[in-house]
Amino acid sequence: MAYVEVIKPTKTADGRPIELGEPPNGRKMRVAAYVRVSTPQELQERSYEYQIEYFTNLINKNPNMEMVGIFGDKGISGATIKERSGFKEMLAQARAGKIDKILTKSVSRFSRNIIDTAEITRELKGLNVEVIFEEEHISSFDVASDTALYILSTMAQEEMRNQSESIRWAYKNRMGRGAFSLGYAH
C-alpha cells in the first residue's frame, strides 16, 4: 500500500491563513479541483483516485463552497497543456465565469512548464479565479507567492527534464548491452 500524506493548506507564502470558504458577494464559492498523474501505473492510479476523493470531500464538506467539478488528466505529462483535455476543460469553465477557485495538490500537478504556469495563473488571476497549490501553501492571489511560484515551476520543469534524460540514458545503456526491449511480447 502506498503512503499518502494528507496535505491541508493553511498559510500563504507570507504566512497569512488561506481561507478556502470565503463566499463572494454572499453566494457560495464555486470551486473546482485539478488532479493529474503522469503515468498510468498502479501506484499513480491510487494517487489519482486519492486526489479526486480528497478534493471531493474537502469541497463538499464546506458549506460555503459549491462543487463545479474535479477536472483531471491521467497518464498525461504536465510538460504542456496540449494533450490535457481535463485541464483545458477546467480553463474553459473558468473563462466562462463558472469557477471562483481552483484547488490542486501541487505546482507540479498543475503544470511542469514554467511559461504555462505563469501565463495561466496570471490569466486566471485576471478573471478573478484563485489557484491554491496545497502542498506548497501558495495562493495565486498572494503577491508574495509570485516568486515562490516561479521558483517551484522552474524546479518542476527541471525535474521533468532530468527524469527524461535519466530514462533516455537507461534505454541507451540497455541498448549498448543488448538488453533493450521494445515493450511487446514476441
Side-chain angles (χ1 to χ4, degrees):
M1 174 165 235
Y3 171 75
V4 179
E5 179 181 356
V6 175
I7 310 245
K8 294 181 181 177
T10 56
K11 297 182 180 182
T12 62
D14 68 351
R16 289 183 294 121
I18 291 176
E19 298 296 330
L20 290 179
E22 300 172 14
N25 304 326
R27 64 168 168 76
K28 287 187 174 189
M29 182 169 294
R30 298 165 302 176
V31 181
Y34 178 70
V35 300
R36 183 184 65 79
V37 293
S38 55
T39 65
Q41 298 170 348
E42 182 180 345
L43 182 61
Q44 293 237 324
E45 175 75 27
R46 284 190 225 128
S47 174
Y48 187 81
E49 292 168 2
Y50 167 76
Q51 290 175 61
I52 291 170
E53 179 182 335
Y54 171 74
F55 286 120
T56 299
N57 290 335
L58 180 69
I59 295 167
N60 287 336
K61 285 182 181 178
N62 189 319
N64 295 322
M65 291 184 183
E66 174 187 331
M67 168 75 79
V68 174
I70 305 291
F71 300 88
D73 293 296
K74 191 185 327 180
I76 308 278
S77 168
T80 177
I81 64 169
K82 186 170 47 172
E83 302 297 323
R84 295 194 290 155
S85 59
F87 193 82
K88 290 192 290 188
E89 175 59 27
M90 178 188 69
L91 290 178
Q93 295 286 322
R95 289 172 180 141
K98 297 178 180 179
I99 298 174
D100 298 313
K101 187 175 295 219
I102 297 169
L103 308 176
T104 191
K105 179 182 172 195
S106 66
V107 173
S108 66
R109 295 301 91 204
F110 191 75
S111 177
R112 286 189 178 265
N113 180 307
I114 189 168
I115 294 170
D116 284 349
T117 302
E119 287 178 355
I120 292 166
T121 55
R122 191 175 305 120
E123 177 189 0
L124 291 170
K125 191 174 185 178
L127 296 169
N128 205 30
V129 177
E130 180 180 24
V131 181
I132 299 286
F133 302 93
E134 289 206 345
E135 198 168 90
E136 296 89 359
H137 307 293
I138 292 176
S139 163
S140 64
F141 278 9
D142 183 3
V143 176
S145 295
D146 287 347
T147 302
L149 184 57
Y150 176 82
I151 291 168
L152 292 165
S153 295
T154 303
M155 290 171 54
Q157 182 173 312
E158 187 63 19
E159 179 185 4
M160 181 188 62
R161 189 185 66 75
N162 287 339
Q163 288 172 348
S164 180
E165 285 179 5
S166 292
I167 290 168
R168 277 193 295 260
W169 178 87
Y171 283 147
K172 187 176 180 180
N173 189 330
R174 280 184 268 175
M175 284 175 60
R177 292 179 310 174
F180 184 73
S181 170
L182 293 176
Y184 61 89
H186 298 280

